[in-house]
Amino acid sequence: MGTKDTGSNNTAKPNIAFIGLGNMGAPMAENLLKAGYALSVYDLSAEATKRLQQAGASVADSPKEAASNAQVVISMLPAGQHVHSVYLGDNGLLAELPKGTLVIDSSTIAAADARVVAEAASKFGIDFLDAPVSGGTGGAIAGSLTFIVGGSDDAFAKAEPILGVMGKNIFHAGDHGAGQVAKICNNMLLGILMAGTAEAINLGVKNGLDPKVLSDIMLQSSGRNWTLEVYNPYPQVMENVPSSNGYKGGFMSKLMQKDLNLAMQTAKDTDVETPMGAKATELYEAHTLENGDKDFSSIMARHDSSVLS
Ligand code: NAD
C-alpha cells in the first residue's frame, strides 16, 4: 500500500482511481501523476502497480479500495470481459461508487458492451464514458493519444481536462458506445489500407519494380494513403518504421485482429455489410497464427515471407 493521502489534495483537481496498468495504462497514469493528479491505482499484477507506486501513486488492493476516495475512475483493460468483471461482476465497482462519480473506460471493447455498462452506471447515478484511444504505446508515453469519446455532453466536459493530460486530440463522437464505434471504423479502414498497400507493393515487386520507386509513385498518385505516407510495410523503403526493424514494436498484429473482430461483431449485430473489412479480418486471422506479436505491417509477409528474415 502506498502512503500518499489522496484526500489532502488542495487543488481543484479530482482524485483519480486508475485500474489496469499495462502497456498503455501505466504511462497514461504516470502522465496524470506528472500533471499533479492524486492517483490511487489497482492492477491484478503486483509488478504493474510497483512501477506506479515508485512514481508516486497510492496502491490499492481492489478496485473498490482504489475508488474509495476518488471522484473519477479511469480503466484501461484488455477486453470486454475484464471491463464487465470490474464494473458489473461480483463486487462490481458501479454498485460501490457514490452518485456523481465520473467513470471513463479507455479499453477497446465492443460498443454493445460499453452501452451495457453505461446503462447500469446510469441506474446508480454515475456518469460513464467510453473513451478508447488511438496512438499506441508511443502516444501513451508522450501524452499525445487521440481519445474518441462516447457519452453525455456534461460528462465529456468534465473529462476533457483530464483526457487532455494524456492526449492531444479529444473527440466527442456521440452518445454511449459512439467512441467505440468510431474507433473500430478507423481501425477497420486501417487494416484494409495496410493489407491493400502490401498487396499492391507485392504485385509491383513481383513484376520487377523497386518497392521504393513504386511507393514514391503511389504516394504522389491516387493510391496515396496513411500507410504509404508514414508506415510503409516493405522493409527499407522508410526509416524508423517497424518494417525496417524486423517488424518489432508498433501495433501488434494480434491487436489489429482484435479490433477487426470487434468491427465484424458490430457489423453483424447491426446488420451492416462490410465485405472489405471481412476480407481484412480473414487475412489478419491467418497472419496472426504465427505473427501475432509482430507489427501489423508484417501482413506484407503473406505475399513474401523473405521480408521477415
Ligand atoms: P495490457 O495487456 O498491456 O494491459 C492490461 C492490464 O490490465 C494488465 O496490466 C492486466 O494485469 C490488467 N488487468 C486485467 N484484468 C484486470 C482486472 N480485472 N483488474 C485490474 N487489472 C486488470 O494491454 P494494453 O496494451 O495496455 O491495452 C489496454 C487496452 O487498450 C486494450 O483494450 C487495447 O485493445 C487498447 N489499446 C492498446 C493499444 C496498444 O498499442 N497496446 C493501442 C490502442 C488501444
Side-chain angles (χ1 to χ4, degrees), residues 93-212:
L93 195 51
L94 289 181
E96 308 289 346
L97 297 173
K99 273 188 184 180
T101 306
L102 172 63
V103 174
I104 304 169
D105 179 48
S106 282
S107 326
T108 303
I109 65 172
D113 288 343
R115 290 191 194 106
V116 166
V117 185
E119 200 174 313
S122 87
K123 288 189 183 134
F124 288 110
I126 290 160
D127 286 325
F128 179 85
L129 294 173
D130 47 296
V133 301
S134 177
T137 50
I141 293 164
S144 61
L145 291 168
T146 295
F147 282 88
I148 312 168
V149 184
S152 74
D153 289 343
D154 281 355
F156 179 78
K158 275 193 241 166
E160 220 179 349
I162 299 167
L163 300 182
V165 169
M166 301 178 282
K168 217 159 59 179
N169 297 303
I170 321 293
F171 291 106
H172 191 188
D175 208 349
H176 299 300
Q180 299 291 355
V181 173
K183 154 100 191 180
I184 50 124
C185 287
N186 178 70
N187 280 24
M188 182 181 80
L189 180 57
L190 176 60
I192 293 167
L193 289 172
M194 185 57 87
T197 300
E199 190 173 304
I201 294 176
N202 180 61
L203 179 63
V205 169
K206 294 278 160 67
N207 281 274
L209 268 72
D210 180 291
K212 172 137 182 41

Side-chain angles (χ1 to χ4, degrees), residues 19-26 42-45 48 63 76-79 82 85-86 106-109 133-137 183 187 250-252 255 258-259:
I19 300 166
L21 306 161
N23 293 323
M24 297 293 288
Y42 174 72
D43 192 292
L44 294 176
S45 147
M76 192 55 167
L77 297 161
H82 309 96
S85 94
V86 165
S106 282
S107 326
T108 303
I109 65 172
V133 301
S134 177
T137 50
K183 154 100 191 180
N187 280 24
F251 183 50
M252 286 186 283
L255 289 177
K258 174 195 165 190
D259 292 354

Side-chain angles (χ1 to χ4, degrees), residues 189-235:
L189 180 57
L190 176 60
I192 293 167
L193 289 172
M194 185 57 87
T197 300
E199 190 173 304
I201 294 176
N202 180 61
L203 179 63
V205 169
K206 294 278 160 67
N207 281 274
L209 268 72
D210 180 291
K212 172 137 182 41
V213 171
L214 174 59
S215 295
D216 286 346
I217 291 166
M218 294 195 293
L219 193 54
Q220 300 308 327
S221 308
S222 45
R224 182 186 187 115
N225 69 75
W226 182 87
T227 72
L228 287 168
E229 283 166 13
V230 298
Y231 218 94
N232 196 294
Y234 203 92

